[in-house]
Amino acid sequence: MYTNLAYLNNSLIDFMDKKKPLIVGSCGTYHLFTRPRLPTYRPKGRLDFQILYIASGKAHFYFEDKGIDTVVPAGHMVVYRPKEPQKYEYFGDEQTEVYWVHFTGKDVKHILRSSGISDDMRVINTGTSLEYTRLFKQMILELQRRQPDYQEMLALLLRQLLITIHRQLASDRRSRNVYLDTEMEAAIQYFNDNYNTEINIEAYAASRGMSVSWFIRSFRQYANTTPMQYIVSIRIANAQILLETTNYNVTEIGRIVGYDNPLYFSRIFKKQKGASPSEYRTQTSHNVSLSRHGQTDNTDILS
């Protein structure tokens, strides 16, 4: 088993300190080769925060001191908050390599949140990276050597670690959203091209291999409206243009934008615009007439 540890003031006692924004209290690494098992059990937790990085192999966590074995493989980090029960163990036959850091400070919660680590996150998929191990090793060395301003350097290194985690999390979210964005853009294009036909939302979702509930939820997240509300908005917007610029009657305009029933079209239009199609056309014609008259007067004055 390989181990390399470092403690602030050479003390193994955990502490809470809010005099500074961020303080690294201890850090280290374990790499099991032959030792069969390395358990840790703190039923009352610690006073500080802790991040553990599984660099290789796997680790076994029992959150909330329950008997459920949560296997955390390499490429993940685990976060413990103050006074949370801690129970976890490593096994030699799994070749577990773990890096960890304990920290405290008055701004820790804010720093974690701004790094994309919400208060309810425990296991974080960060991926494996030599940058993580480099930063942990540098923190260990810095705390062991204690050169001038080493505490400030430790805080900077920890912040750099959190920034690296944040960038990875942001990259993962963007990657996960590529599929969603592509599908929602395709749906919007389809709705714009076919808004005046009878669109069945369930049939469309099925044709794209999506459940209707997931599609509606995702579309609302993307466009801030439901698919059907979006289709209605396109129909009404085009009806407005036809009412303002053509002599088609209301029944004809309703059919053009996708409503065969003129009464239903009028009801939907009034609900959206506060006036029936006929009232809207009258109001628009009156406003256009006034506008043109005003423009003529202004022209006369200017000339």
Side-chain angles (χ1 to χ4, degrees), residues 67-169:
I68 302 173
D69 180 3
T70 301
V71 180
V72 179
H76 291 74
M77 295 195 191
V78 174
V79 182
Y80 278 113
R81 278 86 180 171
K83 299 182 180 179
E84 283 185 350
Q86 297 185 13
K87 184 178 181 181
Y88 50 90
E89 55 188 345
Y90 318 131
F91 295 95
D93 59 0
E94 294 174 342
Q95 296 290 296
T96 306
E97 182 181 11
V98 177
Y99 291 85
W100 52 266
V101 57
H102 290 284
F103 52 99
T104 183
K106 62 182 179 181
D107 291 345
V108 171
K109 288 184 179 180
H110 171 72
I111 291 170
L112 290 177
R113 290 167 186 163
S114 64
S115 301
I117 302 174
S118 59
D119 295 346
D120 59 347
M121 291 179 74
R122 280 182 171 160
V123 180
I124 307 170
N125 184 359
T126 59
T128 56
S129 172
L130 291 176
E131 180 65 8
Y132 298 141
T133 57
R134 183 190 71 80
L135 289 168
F136 274 106
K137 288 177 179 179
Q138 199 168 343
M139 280 192 284
I140 295 169
L141 183 61
E142 194 69 34
L143 192 47
Q144 289 172 338
R145 296 178 65 187
R146 297 184 182 83
Q147 291 183 316
D149 304 317
Y150 73 95
Q151 292 190 45
E152 287 74 12
M153 181 61 74
L154 283 166
L156 288 173
L157 289 169
L158 179 53
R159 281 181 179 269
Q160 188 175 349
L161 174 67
L162 293 171
I163 290 171
T164 305
I165 294 171
H166 189 205
R167 287 179 174 177
Q168 181 61 45
L169 293 175

Side-chain angles (χ1 to χ4, degrees), residues 117-295:
I117 302 174
S118 59
D119 295 346
D120 59 347
M121 291 179 74
R122 280 182 171 160
V123 180
I124 307 170
N125 184 359
T126 59
T128 56
S129 172
L130 291 176
E131 180 65 8
Y132 298 141
T133 57
R134 183 190 71 80
L135 289 168
F136 274 106
K137 288 177 179 179
Q138 199 168 343
M139 280 192 284
I140 295 169
L141 183 61
E142 194 69 34
L143 192 47
Q144 289 172 338
R145 296 178 65 187
R146 297 184 182 83
Q147 291 183 316
D149 304 317
Y150 73 95
Q151 292 190 45
E152 287 74 12
M153 181 61 74
L154 283 166
L156 288 173
L157 289 169
L158 179 53
R159 281 181 179 269
Q160 188 175 349
L161 174 67
L162 293 171
I163 290 171
T164 305
I165 294 171
H166 189 205
R167 287 179 174 177
Q168 181 61 45
L169 293 175
S171 174
D172 288 347
R173 291 187 187 108
R174 286 194 297 271
S175 298
R176 287 196 298 269
N177 286 338
V178 167
Y179 169 74
L180 184 146
D181 291 349
T182 301
E183 285 296 339
M184 296 310 108
E185 288 170 7
I188 285 175
Q189 186 62 54
Y190 179 82
F191 294 157
N192 276 277
D193 291 343
N194 300 277
Y195 74 89
N196 58 347
T197 65
E198 185 176 347
I199 298 176
N200 185 303
I201 301 300
E202 291 186 8
Y204 176 82
S207 72
R208 305 292 295 187
M210 300 176 283
S211 71
V212 65
S213 59
W214 185 90
F215 173 62
I216 293 174
R217 184 172 63 252
S218 299
F219 191 92
R220 183 192 290 272
Q221 176 184 335
Y222 184 84
N224 295 317
T225 187
T226 67
M228 189 50 65
Q229 288 169 340
Y230 183 82
I231 294 167
V232 169
S233 70
I234 299 173
R235 288 175 173 174
I236 298 305
N238 281 277
Q240 284 181 260
I241 295 171
L242 292 172
L243 287 166
E244 294 171 8
T245 61
T246 73
N247 292 322
Y248 294 133
N249 64 43
V250 171
T251 299
E252 290 173 322
I253 290 175
R255 287 174 180 165
I256 290 171
V257 300
Y259 295 105
D260 291 330
N261 186 327
L263 293 177
Y264 182 69
F265 167 56
S266 294
R267 187 163 62 248
I268 292 293
F269 191 96
K270 186 170 185 177
K271 183 178 180 180
Q272 295 290 319
K273 308 308 297 183
S276 69
S278 298
E279 292 169 343
Y280 181 84
R281 170 171 272 171
T282 300
Q283 293 170 3
T284 303
S285 298
H286 179 67
N287 292 336
V288 168
S289 176
L290 287 176
S291 176
R292 286 174 178 170
H293 180 69
Q295 288 174 2

